[in-house]
Amino acid sequence: MKGLWFTELQTPVVAFSCRVRQTLHWERTPYQELAVLDTEPFGRMLTLDGVIQTTVGDEFVYHEMITWVALSTHPRPRRVLIIGGGDGGALREVLKHPEVENATLVEIDRRVTEVCRQYLPEIASAFDDPRATVLFEDGIVHVQEHPAAYDVIIIDSTDPVGPAEGLFSADFYRNVYQALREEGLFVAQTESPFFNRELLARIYRDVSGVFPVCRVYLASVPTYPGGLWTFTVGSKRFDPAAVEPRMPQGVTTRYYNPAVHRAAFALPNFVRELIGS
Ligand code: SPD
């Protein structure tokens, strides 16, 4: 293999590699090791602690699917909270929705946002929108301190190790329930159904124990382990698998549409067995 390659060790026995044209940025922040690489197959890529977070080539799948399923389920998503998501991709999608009055993004690591604004402008394109509030603080504390504040909460976290571990706990889901308004719902990225089986089963159990509606859906993200990726929704009232998705007029997306929304809830048997549904 000629040239410079980036390799993510996805599990102790599985690796994903791609050829790199150039390392554009590298630093150790107070929280993690942060890098931006220019890769041949996916263009610019953000990695944290050696794990791919997003790439210009495939980010639209993940960012549209972590936002639009919930945004198209809630009839009036006026106040939205994003926890994590410091690259700004989820914020960009949320602010495409004309009924969103305020989107608060709570990112623990200020450097993620600063570096993404510099190197990934297509993803970090909405930070200057007047409806955006950006806070650099702990999302776990933020939800505890904001009861009944949000219609939709999006948990766009890193993997459940290090700073993000607490975002995958039953206690946190109870606090998310409290932070939602009466008809609110949340969605979290919940990892690979191939490589994180026990985790997904546990999240489904925990979220079902807190919310009357709990659903898992899927999307294909080529640069994430296994490609197939899960998202879990906890909802106080609206069932994202049963609603007629409402996409506002004039919003453009590259992956998400109402048919994809419905299809994303069709789970293969092995995933159904994992979550026992
Ligand atoms: N295995 C990496 C999973 C990362 C999920 N979150 C990425 C954040 C992109 N906004």
Side-chain angles (χ1 to χ4, degrees):
M1 298 207 300
K2 280 194 182 146
L4 184 63
W5 287 71
F6 164 80
T7 296
E8 175 183 329
L9 204 55
Q10 296 182 328
T11 80
V13 293
V14 179
F16 172 91
S17 295
C18 63
R19 203 154 76 168
V20 170
R21 292 193 198 98
Q22 205 186 346
T23 300
L24 298 168
H25 185 85
W26 187 94
E27 71 176 88
R28 197 177 294 284
T29 77
Y31 297 95
Q32 54 212 339
E33 186 191 290
L34 184 166
V36 180
L37 313 172
D38 185 18
T39 73
E40 283 194 22
F42 300 104
R44 292 186 177 193
M45 169 188 283
L46 169 72
T47 68
L48 295 174
D49 288 334
V51 176
I52 298 170
Q53 299 303 314
T54 196
T55 80
V56 168
D58 69 350
E59 61 87 13
F60 64 98
V61 180
Y62 176 87
H63 289 129
E64 290 177 16
M65 289 301 280
I66 201 171
T67 53
W68 281 104
V69 170
L71 292 173
S72 306
T73 296
H74 195 294
R76 292 164 301 276
R78 297 203 173 123
R79 293 183 56 83
V80 179
L81 171 67
I82 301 163
I83 295 180
D87 51 70
L91 183 68
R92 178 197 65 203
E93 292 304 316
V94 166
L95 290 173
K96 282 181 186 172
H97 198 304
E99 280 188 60
V100 170
E101 292 167 0
N102 181 267
T104 300
L105 182 138
V106 179
E107 162 63 53
I108 201 161
D109 190 344
R110 168 188 298 272
R111 288 299 293 152
V112 172
T113 299
E114 290 170 350
V115 169
C116 290
R117 290 189 76 156
Q118 184 175 356
Y119 291 102
L120 302 171
E122 359 6 31
I123 299 174
S125 60
F127 285 105
D128 294 325
D129 188 305
R131 294 172 296 156
T133 303
V134 182
L135 305 171
F136 296 109
E137 58 186 37
D138 188 341
I140 296 175
V141 176
H142 185 93
V143 293
Q144 283 166 354
E145 293 178 348
H146 290 80
Y150 297 106
D151 300 308
V152 173
I153 297 179
I154 294 162
I155 302 162
D156 182 11
S157 73
T158 51
D159 295 330
V161 279
E165 206 176 336
L167 301 174
F168 292 80
S169 72
D171 273 352
F172 177 66
Y173 301 134
R174 278 189 279 276
N175 290 328
V176 167
Y177 185 96
Q178 299 299 339
L180 285 166
R181 287 168 157 183
E182 217 174 310
E183 300 186 322
L185 73 159
F186 89 96
V187 55
Q189 75 84 4
T190 49
E191 305 281 311
S192 158
F194 288 102
F195 299 130
N196 307 92
R197 288 163 187 253
E198 293 80 17
L199 176 77
L200 179 62
R202 192 209 6 104
I203 292 170
Y204 186 80
R205 233 182 9 252
D206 288 349
V207 174
S208 303
V210 177
F211 285 83
V213 180
C214 177
R215 298 277 178 239
V216 170
Y217 65 92
L218 298 168
S220 291
V221 186
T223 55
Y224 287 175
L228 195 64
W229 208 248
T230 70
F231 301 84
T232 300
V233 173
S235 176
K236 290 189 172 183
R237 175 162 177 200
F238 304 107
D239 181 349
V243 291
E244 193 49 52
R246 303 154 183 252
M247 188 83 184
Q249 287 258 310
V251 170
T252 55
T253 46
R254 294 174 66 199
Y255 188 91
Y256 178 86
N257 60 43
V260 165
H261 178 130
R262 286 186 285 270
F265 290 92
L267 300 179
N269 289 345
F270 85 98
V271 180
R272 283 189 186 182
E273 280 162 24
L274 270 179
I275 62 175
S277 83

